[in-house]
mmCIF file with all atom_site columns, all heavy atoms in Angstrom:
data_model
loop_
_atom_site.group_PDB
_atom_site.id
_atom_site.type_symbol
_atom_site.label_atom_id
_atom_site.label_alt_id
_atom_site.label_comp_id
_atom_site.label_asym_id
_atom_site.label_entity_id
_atom_site.label_seq_id
_atom_site.pdbx_PDB_ins_code
_atom_site.Cartn_x
_atom_site.Cartn_y
_atom_site.Cartn_z
_atom_site.occupancy
_atom_site.B_iso_or_equiv
_atom_site.pdbx_formal_charge
_atom_site.auth_seq_id
_atom_site.auth_comp_id
_atom_site.auth_asym_id
_atom_site.auth_atom_id
_atom_site.pdbx_PDB_model_num
ATOM 1   N N   . ARG A 1 7   ? -20.005 44.289 43.106 1.00 0.00 ? 244 ARG A N   1
ATOM 2   C CA  . ARG A 1 7   ? -19.971 45.343 42.083 1.00 0.00 ? 244 ARG A CA  1
ATOM 3   C C   . ARG A 1 7   ? -19.956 44.612 40.704 1.00 0.00 ? 244 ARG A C   1
ATOM 4   O O   . ARG A 1 7   ? -19.608 43.461 40.619 1.00 0.00 ? 244 ARG A O   1
ATOM 5   C CB  . ARG A 1 7   ? -18.743 46.198 42.259 1.00 0.00 ? 244 ARG A CB  1
ATOM 6   C CG  . ARG A 1 7   ? -17.424 45.498 42.185 1.00 0.00 ? 244 ARG A CG  1
ATOM 7   C CD  . ARG A 1 7   ? -16.255 46.345 42.734 1.00 0.00 ? 244 ARG A CD  1
ATOM 8   N NE  . ARG A 1 7   ? -15.011 45.655 42.584 1.00 0.00 ? 244 ARG A NE  1
ATOM 9   C CZ  . ARG A 1 7   ? -14.531 44.760 43.435 1.00 0.00 ? 244 ARG A CZ  1
ATOM 10  N NH1 . ARG A 1 7   ? -15.245 44.429 44.528 1.00 0.00 ? 244 ARG A NH1 1
ATOM 11  N NH2 . ARG A 1 7   ? -13.364 44.171 43.263 1.00 0.00 ? 244 ARG A NH2 1
ATOM 12  N N   . ALA A 1 17  ? -0.685  34.709 29.458 1.00 0.00 ? 254 ALA A N   1
ATOM 13  C CA  . ALA A 1 17  ? 0.130   33.510 29.497 1.00 0.00 ? 254 ALA A CA  1
ATOM 14  C C   . ALA A 1 17  ? -0.555  32.533 30.469 1.00 0.00 ? 254 ALA A C   1
ATOM 15  O O   . ALA A 1 17  ? -1.046  32.947 31.513 1.00 0.00 ? 254 ALA A O   1
ATOM 16  C CB  . ALA A 1 17  ? 1.541   33.868 30.037 1.00 0.00 ? 254 ALA A CB  1
ATOM 17  N N   . PHE A 1 22  ? -2.511  19.466 37.062 1.00 0.00 ? 259 PHE A N   1
ATOM 18  C CA  . PHE A 1 22  ? -3.641  18.594 37.312 1.00 0.00 ? 259 PHE A CA  1
ATOM 19  C C   . PHE A 1 22  ? -3.211  17.612 38.449 1.00 0.00 ? 259 PHE A C   1
ATOM 20  O O   . PHE A 1 22  ? -2.092  17.142 38.469 1.00 0.00 ? 259 PHE A O   1
ATOM 21  C CB  . PHE A 1 22  ? -4.006  17.769 36.060 1.00 0.00 ? 259 PHE A CB  1
ATOM 22  C CG  . PHE A 1 22  ? -5.241  16.922 36.214 1.00 0.00 ? 259 PHE A CG  1
ATOM 23  C CD1 . PHE A 1 22  ? -6.511  17.506 36.020 1.00 0.00 ? 259 PHE A CD1 1
ATOM 24  C CD2 . PHE A 1 22  ? -5.151  15.583 36.518 1.00 0.00 ? 259 PHE A CD2 1
ATOM 25  C CE1 . PHE A 1 22  ? -7.615  16.712 36.142 1.00 0.00 ? 259 PHE A CE1 1
ATOM 26  C CE2 . PHE A 1 22  ? -6.280  14.843 36.667 1.00 0.00 ? 259 PHE A CE2 1
ATOM 27  C CZ  . PHE A 1 22  ? -7.551  15.411 36.467 1.00 0.00 ? 259 PHE A CZ  1
ATOM 28  N N   . GLU A 1 29  ? 1.264   23.691 42.261 1.00 0.00 ? 266 GLU A N   1
ATOM 29  C CA  . GLU A 1 29  ? 2.085   23.383 41.071 1.00 0.00 ? 266 GLU A CA  1
ATOM 30  C C   . GLU A 1 29  ? 1.849   24.394 39.949 1.00 0.00 ? 266 GLU A C   1
ATOM 31  O O   . GLU A 1 29  ? 2.820   24.896 39.314 1.00 0.00 ? 266 GLU A O   1
ATOM 32  C CB  . GLU A 1 29  ? 1.792   21.990 40.577 1.00 0.00 ? 266 GLU A CB  1
ATOM 33  C CG  . GLU A 1 29  ? 2.727   21.558 39.437 1.00 0.00 ? 266 GLU A CG  1
ATOM 34  C CD  . GLU A 1 29  ? 2.442   20.158 38.910 1.00 0.00 ? 266 GLU A CD  1
ATOM 35  O OE1 . GLU A 1 29  ? 1.802   19.375 39.607 1.00 0.00 ? 266 GLU A OE1 1
ATOM 36  O OE2 . GLU A 1 29  ? 2.879   19.865 37.771 1.00 0.00 ? 266 GLU A OE2 1
ATOM 37  N N   . ALA A 1 30  ? 0.585   24.725 39.657 1.00 0.00 ? 267 ALA A N   1
ATOM 38  C CA  . ALA A 1 30  ? 0.295   25.725 38.644 1.00 0.00 ? 267 ALA A CA  1
ATOM 39  C C   . ALA A 1 30  ? 0.874   27.082 39.024 1.00 0.00 ? 267 ALA A C   1
ATOM 40  O O   . ALA A 1 30  ? 1.408   27.799 38.164 1.00 0.00 ? 267 ALA A O   1
ATOM 41  C CB  . ALA A 1 30  ? -1.230  25.810 38.395 1.00 0.00 ? 267 ALA A CB  1
ATOM 42  N N   . TRP A 1 31  ? 0.753   27.433 40.280 1.00 0.00 ? 268 TRP A N   1
ATOM 43  C CA  . TRP A 1 31  ? 1.303   28.708 40.742 1.00 0.00 ? 268 TRP A CA  1
ATOM 44  C C   . TRP A 1 31  ? 2.840   28.736 40.587 1.00 0.00 ? 268 TRP A C   1
ATOM 45  O O   . TRP A 1 31  ? 3.394   29.719 40.128 1.00 0.00 ? 268 TRP A O   1
ATOM 46  C CB  . TRP A 1 31  ? 0.910   28.919 42.223 1.00 0.00 ? 268 TRP A CB  1
ATOM 47  C CG  . TRP A 1 31  ? 1.555   30.149 42.769 1.00 0.00 ? 268 TRP A CG  1
ATOM 48  C CD1 . TRP A 1 31  ? 2.626   30.194 43.622 1.00 0.00 ? 268 TRP A CD1 1
ATOM 49  C CD2 . TRP A 1 31  ? 1.216   31.482 42.552 1.00 0.00 ? 268 TRP A CD2 1
ATOM 50  N NE1 . TRP A 1 31  ? 2.990   31.504 43.893 1.00 0.00 ? 268 TRP A NE1 1
ATOM 51  C CE2 . TRP A 1 31  ? 2.068   32.296 43.245 1.00 0.00 ? 268 TRP A CE2 1
ATOM 52  C CE3 . TRP A 1 31  ? 0.194   32.087 41.768 1.00 0.00 ? 268 TRP A CE3 1
ATOM 53  C CZ2 . TRP A 1 31  ? 2.027   33.737 43.247 1.00 0.00 ? 268 TRP A CZ2 1
ATOM 54  C CZ3 . TRP A 1 31  ? 0.115   33.489 41.771 1.00 0.00 ? 268 TRP A CZ3 1
ATOM 55  C CH2 . TRP A 1 31  ? 1.019   34.249 42.452 1.00 0.00 ? 268 TRP A CH2 1
ATOM 56  N N   . HIS A 1 50  ? -0.345  43.661 35.263 1.00 0.00 ? 287 HIS A N   1
ATOM 57  C CA  . HIS A 1 50  ? -0.259  42.238 34.943 1.00 0.00 ? 287 HIS A CA  1
ATOM 58  C C   . HIS A 1 50  ? -1.067  41.422 35.966 1.00 0.00 ? 287 HIS A C   1
ATOM 59  O O   . HIS A 1 50  ? -0.481  40.635 36.734 1.00 0.00 ? 287 HIS A O   1
ATOM 60  C CB  . HIS A 1 50  ? 1.169   41.767 34.912 1.00 0.00 ? 287 HIS A CB  1
ATOM 61  C CG  . HIS A 1 50  ? 2.046   42.580 34.000 1.00 0.00 ? 287 HIS A CG  1
ATOM 62  N ND1 . HIS A 1 50  ? 2.004   42.437 32.628 1.00 0.00 ? 287 HIS A ND1 1
ATOM 63  C CD2 . HIS A 1 50  ? 2.947   43.553 34.247 1.00 0.00 ? 287 HIS A CD2 1
ATOM 64  C CE1 . HIS A 1 50  ? 2.862   43.296 32.070 1.00 0.00 ? 287 HIS A CE1 1
ATOM 65  N NE2 . HIS A 1 50  ? 3.421   43.990 33.055 1.00 0.00 ? 287 HIS A NE2 1
ATOM 66  N N   . SER A 1 61  ? -15.505 16.571 39.925 1.00 0.00 ? 298 SER A N   1
ATOM 67  C CA  . SER A 1 61  ? -16.994 16.252 39.874 1.00 0.00 ? 298 SER A CA  1
ATOM 68  C C   . SER A 1 61  ? -17.452 15.603 41.169 1.00 0.00 ? 298 SER A C   1
ATOM 69  O O   . SER A 1 61  ? -18.634 15.575 41.485 1.00 0.00 ? 298 SER A O   1
ATOM 70  C CB  . SER A 1 61  ? -17.317 15.383 38.676 1.00 0.00 ? 298 SER A CB  1
ATOM 71  O OG  . SER A 1 61  ? -16.568 14.194 38.741 1.00 0.00 ? 298 SER A OG  1
ATOM 72  N N   . ASP A 1 66  ? -9.218  14.021 41.503 1.00 0.00 ? 303 ASP A N   1
ATOM 73  C CA  . ASP A 1 66  ? -8.262  14.921 40.914 1.00 0.00 ? 303 ASP A CA  1
ATOM 74  C C   . ASP A 1 66  ? -8.948  15.990 40.071 1.00 0.00 ? 303 ASP A C   1
ATOM 75  O O   . ASP A 1 66  ? -10.031 15.745 39.487 1.00 0.00 ? 303 ASP A O   1
ATOM 76  C CB  . ASP A 1 66  ? -7.272  14.147 40.077 1.00 0.00 ? 303 ASP A CB  1
ATOM 77  C CG  . ASP A 1 66  ? -6.321  13.302 40.873 1.00 0.00 ? 303 ASP A CG  1
ATOM 78  O OD1 . ASP A 1 66  ? -6.331  13.399 42.094 1.00 0.00 ? 303 ASP A OD1 1
ATOM 79  O OD2 . ASP A 1 66  ? -5.501  12.558 40.279 1.00 0.00 ? 303 ASP A OD2 1
ATOM 80  N N   . GLU A 1 70  ? -5.679  26.394 36.675 1.00 0.00 ? 307 GLU A N   1
ATOM 81  C CA  . GLU A 1 70  ? -4.915  27.252 35.760 1.00 0.00 ? 307 GLU A CA  1
ATOM 82  C C   . GLU A 1 70  ? -4.688  28.559 36.403 1.00 0.00 ? 307 GLU A C   1
ATOM 83  O O   . GLU A 1 70  ? -5.508  29.054 37.159 1.00 0.00 ? 307 GLU A O   1
ATOM 84  C CB  . GLU A 1 70  ? -5.706  27.530 34.493 1.00 0.00 ? 307 GLU A CB  1
ATOM 85  C CG  . GLU A 1 70  ? -5.873  26.355 33.569 1.00 0.00 ? 307 GLU A CG  1
ATOM 86  C CD  . GLU A 1 70  ? -6.558  26.779 32.260 1.00 0.00 ? 307 GLU A CD  1
ATOM 87  O OE1 . GLU A 1 70  ? -6.408  27.932 31.778 1.00 0.00 ? 307 GLU A OE1 1
ATOM 88  O OE2 . GLU A 1 70  ? -7.172  25.884 31.632 1.00 0.00 ? 307 GLU A OE2 1
ATOM 89  N N   . GLU A 1 78  ? 3.480   43.262 23.141 1.00 0.00 ? 315 GLU A N   1
ATOM 90  C CA  . GLU A 1 78  ? 4.867   43.373 22.746 1.00 0.00 ? 315 GLU A CA  1
ATOM 91  C C   . GLU A 1 78  ? 5.819   42.478 23.540 1.00 0.00 ? 315 GLU A C   1
ATOM 92  O O   . GLU A 1 78  ? 6.969   42.325 23.196 1.00 0.00 ? 315 GLU A O   1
ATOM 93  C CB  . GLU A 1 78  ? 5.340   44.819 22.866 1.00 0.00 ? 315 GLU A CB  1
ATOM 94  C CG  . GLU A 1 78  ? 5.325   45.378 24.249 1.00 0.00 ? 315 GLU A CG  1
ATOM 95  C CD  . GLU A 1 78  ? 4.029   46.023 24.670 1.00 0.00 ? 315 GLU A CD  1
ATOM 96  O OE1 . GLU A 1 78  ? 3.002   45.892 23.936 1.00 0.00 ? 315 GLU A OE1 1
ATOM 97  O OE2 . GLU A 1 78  ? 4.023   46.608 25.769 1.00 0.00 ? 315 GLU A OE2 1
ATOM 98  N N   . SER A 1 83  ? 8.059   29.603 23.007 1.00 0.00 ? 320 SER A N   1
ATOM 99  C CA  . SER A 1 83  ? 7.033   28.643 22.530 1.00 0.00 ? 320 SER A CA  1
ATOM 100 C C   . SER A 1 83  ? 6.629   27.655 23.615 1.00 0.00 ? 320 SER A C   1
ATOM 101 O O   . SER A 1 83  ? 5.593   27.007 23.489 1.00 0.00 ? 320 SER A O   1
ATOM 102 C CB  . SER A 1 83  ? 7.557   27.896 21.307 1.00 0.00 ? 320 SER A CB  1
ATOM 103 O OG  . SER A 1 83  ? 8.722   27.187 21.631 1.00 0.00 ? 320 SER A OG  1
ATOM 104 N N   . GLY A 1 92  ? -12.749 38.712 27.385 1.00 0.00 ? 329 GLY A N   1
ATOM 105 C CA  . GLY A 1 92  ? -13.337 39.700 28.303 1.00 0.00 ? 329 GLY A CA  1
ATOM 106 C C   . GLY A 1 92  ? -14.811 39.404 28.562 1.00 0.00 ? 329 GLY A C   1
ATOM 107 O O   . GLY A 1 92  ? -15.356 38.369 28.133 1.00 0.00 ? 329 GLY A O   1
ATOM 108 N N   . THR A 1 98  ? -16.912 40.240 43.997 1.00 0.00 ? 335 THR A N   1
ATOM 109 C CA  . THR A 1 98  ? -16.871 40.515 45.425 1.00 0.00 ? 335 THR A CA  1
ATOM 110 C C   . THR A 1 98  ? -15.453 40.281 45.893 1.00 0.00 ? 335 THR A C   1
ATOM 111 O O   . THR A 1 98  ? -14.684 39.577 45.252 1.00 0.00 ? 335 THR A O   1
ATOM 112 C CB  . THR A 1 98  ? -17.878 39.676 46.239 1.00 0.00 ? 335 THR A CB  1
ATOM 113 O OG1 . THR A 1 98  ? -17.957 40.193 47.572 1.00 0.00 ? 335 THR A OG1 1
ATOM 114 C CG2 . THR A 1 98  ? -17.477 38.220 46.273 1.00 0.00 ? 335 THR A CG2 1
ATOM 115 N N   . GLY A 1 102 ? -8.352  36.546 52.785 1.00 0.00 ? 339 GLY A N   1
ATOM 116 C CA  . GLY A 1 102 ? -7.950  35.145 52.888 1.00 0.00 ? 339 GLY A CA  1
ATOM 117 C C   . GLY A 1 102 ? -8.257  34.416 51.592 1.00 0.00 ? 339 GLY A C   1
ATOM 118 O O   . GLY A 1 102 ? -8.776  35.015 50.610 1.00 0.00 ? 339 GLY A O   1
ATOM 119 N N   . LEU A 1 106 ? -15.767 27.932 49.378 1.00 0.00 ? 343 LEU A N   1
ATOM 120 C CA  . LEU A 1 106 ? -17.028 27.583 48.758 1.00 0.00 ? 343 LEU A CA  1
ATOM 121 C C   . LEU A 1 106 ? -18.187 28.483 49.253 1.00 0.00 ? 343 LEU A C   1
ATOM 122 O O   . LEU A 1 106 ? -19.066 28.902 48.485 1.00 0.00 ? 343 LEU A O   1
ATOM 123 C CB  . LEU A 1 106 ? -17.396 26.113 48.979 1.00 0.00 ? 343 LEU A CB  1
ATOM 124 C CG  . LEU A 1 106 ? -18.595 25.578 48.304 1.00 0.00 ? 343 LEU A CG  1
ATOM 125 C CD1 . LEU A 1 106 ? -18.564 25.798 46.813 1.00 0.00 ? 343 LEU A CD1 1
ATOM 126 C CD2 . LEU A 1 106 ? -18.770 24.137 48.612 1.00 0.00 ? 343 LEU A CD2 1
ATOM 127 N N   . TRP A 1 109 ? -18.118 31.789 47.424 1.00 0.00 ? 346 TRP A N   1
ATOM 128 C CA  . TRP A 1 109 ? -18.579 31.627 46.038 1.00 0.00 ? 346 TRP A CA  1
ATOM 129 C C   . TRP A 1 109 ? -20.128 31.409 46.021 1.00 0.00 ? 346 TRP A C   1
ATOM 130 O O   . TRP A 1 109 ? -20.833 31.923 45.144 1.00 0.00 ? 346 TRP A O   1
ATOM 131 C CB  . TRP A 1 109 ? -17.898 30.425 45.383 1.00 0.00 ? 346 TRP A CB  1
ATOM 132 C CG  . TRP A 1 109 ? -16.607 30.775 44.775 1.00 0.00 ? 346 TRP A CG  1
ATOM 133 C CD1 . TRP A 1 109 ? -15.365 30.409 45.147 1.00 0.00 ? 346 TRP A CD1 1
ATOM 134 C CD2 . TRP A 1 109 ? -16.413 31.616 43.600 1.00 0.00 ? 346 TRP A CD2 1
ATOM 135 N NE1 . TRP A 1 109 ? -14.404 30.945 44.356 1.00 0.00 ? 346 TRP A NE1 1
ATOM 136 C CE2 . TRP A 1 109 ? -14.993 31.679 43.370 1.00 0.00 ? 346 TRP A CE2 1
ATOM 137 C CE3 . TRP A 1 109 ? -17.269 32.276 42.731 1.00 0.00 ? 346 TRP A CE3 1
ATOM 138 C CZ2 . TRP A 1 109 ? -14.476 32.423 42.294 1.00 0.00 ? 346 TRP A CZ2 1
ATOM 139 C CZ3 . TRP A 1 109 ? -16.704 33.006 41.692 1.00 0.00 ? 346 TRP A CZ3 1
ATOM 140 C CH2 . TRP A 1 109 ? -15.324 33.061 41.459 1.00 0.00 ? 346 TRP A CH2 1
ATOM 141 N N   . HIS A 1 118 ? -30.571 35.941 42.572 1.00 0.00 ? 355 HIS A N   1
ATOM 142 C CA  . HIS A 1 118 ? -31.689 36.700 43.096 1.00 0.00 ? 355 HIS A CA  1
ATOM 143 C C   . HIS A 1 118 ? -31.694 38.148 42.666 1.00 0.00 ? 355 HIS A C   1
ATOM 144 O O   . HIS A 1 118 ? -32.436 38.965 43.150 1.00 0.00 ? 355 HIS A O   1
ATOM 145 C CB  . HIS A 1 118 ? -31.720 36.623 44.623 1.00 0.00 ? 355 HIS A CB  1
ATOM 146 C CG  . HIS A 1 118 ? -31.938 35.244 45.115 1.00 0.00 ? 355 HIS A CG  1
ATOM 147 N ND1 . HIS A 1 118 ? -33.093 34.509 44.899 1.00 0.00 ? 355 HIS A ND1 1
ATOM 148 C CD2 . HIS A 1 118 ? -31.103 34.375 45.780 1.00 0.00 ? 355 HIS A CD2 1
ATOM 149 C CE1 . HIS A 1 118 ? -32.969 33.316 45.422 1.00 0.00 ? 355 HIS A CE1 1
ATOM 150 N NE2 . HIS A 1 118 ? -31.758 33.172 45.966 1.00 0.00 ? 355 HIS A NE2 1
ATOM 151 N N   . GLY A 1 119 ? -30.878 38.465 41.691 1.00 0.00 ? 356 GLY A N   1
ATOM 152 C CA  . GLY A 1 119 ? -30.766 39.838 41.201 1.00 0.00 ? 356 GLY A CA  1
ATOM 153 C C   . GLY A 1 119 ? -31.120 39.972 39.740 1.00 0.00 ? 356 GLY A C   1
ATOM 154 O O   . GLY A 1 119 ? -31.635 39.014 39.146 1.00 0.00 ? 356 GLY A O   1
ATOM 155 N N   . HIS A 1 121 ? -29.247 40.127 37.145 1.00 0.00 ? 358 HIS A N   1
ATOM 156 C CA  . HIS A 1 121 ? -28.203 39.606 36.210 1.00 0.00 ? 358 HIS A CA  1
ATOM 157 C C   . HIS A 1 121 ? -28.386 38.105 36.024 1.00 0.00 ? 358 HIS A C   1
ATOM 158 O O   . HIS A 1 121 ? -28.927 37.437 36.930 1.00 0.00 ? 358 HIS A O   1
ATOM 159 C CB  . HIS A 1 121 ? -26.813 39.913 36.708 1.00 0.00 ? 358 HIS A CB  1
ATOM 160 C CG  . HIS A 1 121 ? -26.655 41.366 37.018 1.00 0.00 ? 358 HIS A CG  1
ATOM 161 N ND1 . HIS A 1 121 ? -26.464 42.305 36.033 1.00 0.00 ? 358 HIS A ND1 1
ATOM 162 C CD2 . HIS A 1 121 ? -26.604 42.022 38.168 1.00 0.00 ? 358 HIS A CD2 1
ATOM 163 C CE1 . HIS A 1 121 ? -26.337 43.495 36.576 1.00 0.00 ? 358 HIS A CE1 1
ATOM 164 N NE2 . HIS A 1 121 ? -26.443 43.364 37.889 1.00 0.00 ? 358 HIS A NE2 1
ATOM 165 N N   . ARG A 1 125 ? -22.109 31.247 31.103 1.00 0.00 ? 362 ARG A N   1
ATOM 166 C CA  . ARG A 1 125 ? -21.224 30.090 31.177 1.00 0.00 ? 362 ARG A CA  1
ATOM 167 C C   . ARG A 1 125 ? -19.849 30.377 30.608 1.00 0.00 ? 362 ARG A C   1
ATOM 168 O O   . ARG A 1 125 ? -19.687 30.470 29.397 1.00 0.00 ? 362 ARG A O   1
ATOM 169 C CB  . ARG A 1 125 ? -21.861 28.918 30.425 1.00 0.00 ? 362 ARG A CB  1
ATOM 170 C CG  . ARG A 1 125 ? -22.703 28.057 31.252 1.00 0.00 ? 362 ARG A CG  1
ATOM 171 C CD  . ARG A 1 125 ? -22.783 26.672 30.666 1.00 0.00 ? 362 ARG A CD  1
ATOM 172 N NE  . ARG A 1 125 ? -23.621 25.815 31.468 1.00 0.00 ? 362 ARG A NE  1
ATOM 173 C CZ  . ARG A 1 125 ? -23.203 25.288 32.586 1.00 0.00 ? 362 ARG A CZ  1
ATOM 174 N NH1 . ARG A 1 125 ? -21.982 25.518 33.040 1.00 0.00 ? 362 ARG A NH1 1
ATOM 175 N NH2 . ARG A 1 125 ? -23.993 24.533 33.300 1.00 0.00 ? 362 ARG A NH2 1
ATOM 176 N N   . THR A 1 126 ? -18.923 30.548 31.480 1.00 0.00 ? 363 THR A N   1
ATOM 177 C CA  . THR A 1 126 ? -17.488 30.660 31.153 1.00 0.00 ? 363 THR A CA  1
ATOM 178 C C   . THR A 1 126 ? -16.764 30.508 32.493 1.00 0.00 ? 363 THR A C   1
ATOM 179 O O   . THR A 1 126 ? -17.341 30.162 33.490 1.00 0.00 ? 363 THR A O   1
ATOM 180 C CB  . THR A 1 126 ? -17.179 31.965 30.379 1.00 0.00 ? 363 THR A CB  1
ATOM 181 O OG1 . THR A 1 126 ? -15.861 31.891 29.897 1.00 0.00 ? 363 THR A OG1 1
ATOM 182 C CG2 . THR A 1 126 ? -17.363 33.193 31.237 1.00 0.00 ? 363 THR A CG2 1
ATOM 183 N N   . LEU A 1 129 ? -13.481 33.353 37.935 1.00 0.00 ? 366 LEU A N   1
ATOM 184 C CA  . LEU A 1 129 ? -12.064 33.734 38.118 1.00 0.00 ? 366 LEU A CA  1
ATOM 185 C C   . LEU A 1 129 ? -11.817 34.202 39.541 1.00 0.00 ? 366 LEU A C   1
ATOM 186 O O   . LEU A 1 129 ? -12.703 34.828 40.192 1.00 0.00 ? 366 LEU A O   1
ATOM 187 C CB  . LEU A 1 129 ? -11.685 34.820 37.150 1.00 0.00 ? 366 LEU A CB  1
ATOM 188 C CG  . LEU A 1 129 ? -11.890 34.508 35.677 1.00 0.00 ? 366 LEU A CG  1
ATOM 189 C CD1 . LEU A 1 129 ? -11.686 35.782 34.843 1.00 0.00 ? 366 LEU A CD1 1
ATOM 190 C CD2 . LEU A 1 129 ? -10.929 33.421 35.221 1.00 0.00 ? 366 LEU A CD2 1
ATOM 191 N N   . HIS A 1 133 ? -5.224  40.253 45.018 1.00 0.00 ? 370 HIS A N   1
ATOM 192 C CA  . HIS A 1 133 ? -4.872  41.659 44.989 1.00 0.00 ? 370 HIS A CA  1
ATOM 193 C C   . HIS A 1 133 ? -3.354  41.850 44.876 1.00 0.00 ? 370 HIS A C   1
ATOM 194 O O   . HIS A 1 133 ? -2.918  42.716 44.146 1.00 0.00 ? 370 HIS A O   1
ATOM 195 C CB  . HIS A 1 133 ? -5.375  42.357 46.249 1.00 0.00 ? 370 HIS A CB  1
ATOM 196 C CG  . HIS A 1 133 ? -6.833  42.515 46.283 1.00 0.00 ? 370 HIS A CG  1
ATOM 197 N ND1 . HIS A 1 133 ? -7.483  43.381 47.131 1.00 0.00 ? 370 HIS A ND1 1
ATOM 198 C CD2 . HIS A 1 133 ? -7.816  41.941 45.582 1.00 0.00 ? 370 HIS A CD2 1
ATOM 199 C CE1 . HIS A 1 133 ? -8.776  43.322 46.938 1.00 0.00 ? 370 HIS A CE1 1
ATOM 200 N NE2 . HIS A 1 133 ? -9.019  42.431 46.001 1.00 0.00 ? 370 HIS A NE2 1
ATOM 201 N N   . ALA A 1 143 ? -5.761  38.707 49.843 1.00 0.00 ? 380 ALA A N   1
ATOM 202 C CA  . ALA A 1 143 ? -7.125  39.130 49.545 1.00 0.00 ? 380 ALA A CA  1
ATOM 203 C C   . ALA A 1 143 ? -7.379  38.832 48.077 1.00 0.00 ? 380 ALA A C   1
ATOM 204 O O   . ALA A 1 143 ? -6.462  38.932 47.266 1.00 0.00 ? 380 ALA A O   1
ATOM 205 C CB  . ALA A 1 143 ? -7.316  40.624 49.843 1.00 0.00 ? 380 ALA A CB  1
ATOM 206 N N   . ILE A 1 150 ? -21.392 37.112 34.167 1.00 0.00 ? 387 ILE A N   1
ATOM 207 C CA  . ILE A 1 150 ? -22.810 37.460 33.958 1.00 0.00 ? 387 ILE A CA  1
ATOM 208 C C   . ILE A 1 150 ? -23.053 38.015 32.551 1.00 0.00 ? 387 ILE A C   1
ATOM 209 O O   . ILE A 1 150 ? -22.103 38.422 31.860 1.00 0.00 ? 387 ILE A O   1
ATOM 210 C CB  . ILE A 1 150 ? -23.298 38.522 35.005 1.00 0.00 ? 387 ILE A CB  1
ATOM 211 C CG1 . ILE A 1 150 ? -22.487 39.797 34.884 1.00 0.00 ? 387 ILE A CG1 1
ATOM 212 C CG2 . ILE A 1 150 ? -23.276 37.963 36.350 1.00 0.00 ? 387 ILE A CG2 1
ATOM 213 C CD1 . ILE A 1 150 ? -23.018 40.964 35.708 1.00 0.00 ? 387 ILE A CD1 1
#
Side-chain angles (χ1 to χ4, degrees):
R244 60 194 182 277
F259 187 83
E266 184 181 342
W268 175 258
H287 305 284
S298 57
D303 286 356
E307 291 187 26
E315 64 272 8
S320 61
T335 192
L343 185 56
W346 274 111
H355 298 295
H358 307 285
R362 268 202 179 284
T363 190
L366 302 170
H370 288 196
I387 59 171

